[in-house]
Structures are given as C-alpha cells and as structure tokens.
Amino acid sequence: PTLSGQVFANKQVSISLLNADSSLAAFAIANPDGTFSLTAAPGAYVVIASAEGYLNAQGIVTLADGVASVMPTITLPAGDIDGNDTIDQYDALTLGMNYNLVAPAPADLSNDGLTDIFDLTLLAENYRKAGALAWQ
C-alpha cells in the first residue's frame, strides 16, 4: 500500500508514519512542491506532517493491500518557533529579538535567509493557534 498527498509550508516538510506503539513505520521528505509518497505494510497508522517553526498536522490512516491512499492537501500554520505546539507571545518575542538576523533557524518562517517582516506576518496570521491540525 502507498500513502501520498501534499503538504504546504515554506520549509522542508517531513512525513512520519507511526505504528500503534508510536514506533516509526515509514518516513518521507516532501518534494519542494509539497507532494509526498511512501509505502508501508497494510495496517492502521498515525501520520504526522511537520516542518521547523510550524505547527504539525496529524491524522489516522488505514492502509489496505493494493490500495493507494491519499491524504487531503493541507497547509501547516507558521509561527511555532519554540516548538511547544502553540503560537504565542514567546514565539513573537523570539522573532522580534532576532529581527534582521539569520538565527535561530525556526524564526525564518518564510525561509528566505533572514528573520524579517515576512516572518512576522506569517506568525501574526496564526497567532494563538495551538496543537496539531486534524489531518483527515
């Protein structure tokens, strides 16, 4: 069975397929256009899409032998710079303290090599969002 889909973020997106015991069953890096495809044994899995500085997306998928499953297209919300699953004042503070700098890498949400107004705008659009997006 294969699982494919498309995930949008301005950074490299990782796709993890986890077994019921949370062990890794399969892993893929999305292509620059966000598309991905991975193969795993038939069964039920948790699928997680993640990118540095972004909230994750998480869903449950059941793969059946001989069936190609497709996850819906999703866009990850930018702004979780400290990785605590919440876009809050600490993320905004980190971005502000590093304005016009290259570091830290998660603060460069637009992935243009500099922490600037583009990153602040991305964070502001998602301010106060929390938790993983439901990816169904």
Side-chain angles (χ1 to χ4, degrees), residues 39-58:
T39 304
Y45 299 96
V46 173
V47 59
I48 299 172
S50 58
E52 186 179 53
Y54 288 70
L55 291 176
N56 296 338
Q58 180 174 321

Side-chain angles (χ1 to χ4, degrees), residues 62-100:
T62 300
L63 300 180
D65 209 10
V67 177
S69 299
V70 179
M71 295 299 292
T73 300
I74 194 163
T75 300
L76 301 181
D80 185 21
I81 296 168
D82 60 8
N84 68 349
D85 295 326
T86 303
I87 300 171
D88 57 16
Q89 69 272 16
Y90 301 111
D91 299 305
L93 181 64
T94 300
L95 201 150
M97 290 173 54
N98 294 287
Y99 201 81
N100 282 330

Side-chain angles (χ1 to χ4, degrees), residues 14-18 24-28 38 46-50 135:
S14 301
I15 311 298
S16 301
L17 201 60
L18 305 178
L24 187 64
F27 178 81
L38 49 85
V46 173
V47 59
I48 299 172
S50 58
W135 194 15

Side-chain angles (χ1 to χ4, degrees), residues 96-122:
M97 290 173 54
N98 294 287
Y99 201 81
N100 282 330
L101 300 176
V102 179
D108 183 15
L109 301 170
S110 62
N111 205 27
D112 63 0
L114 188 64
T115 304
D116 54 18
I117 190 67
F118 299 114
D119 306 303
L120 186 58
T121 301
L122 288 169

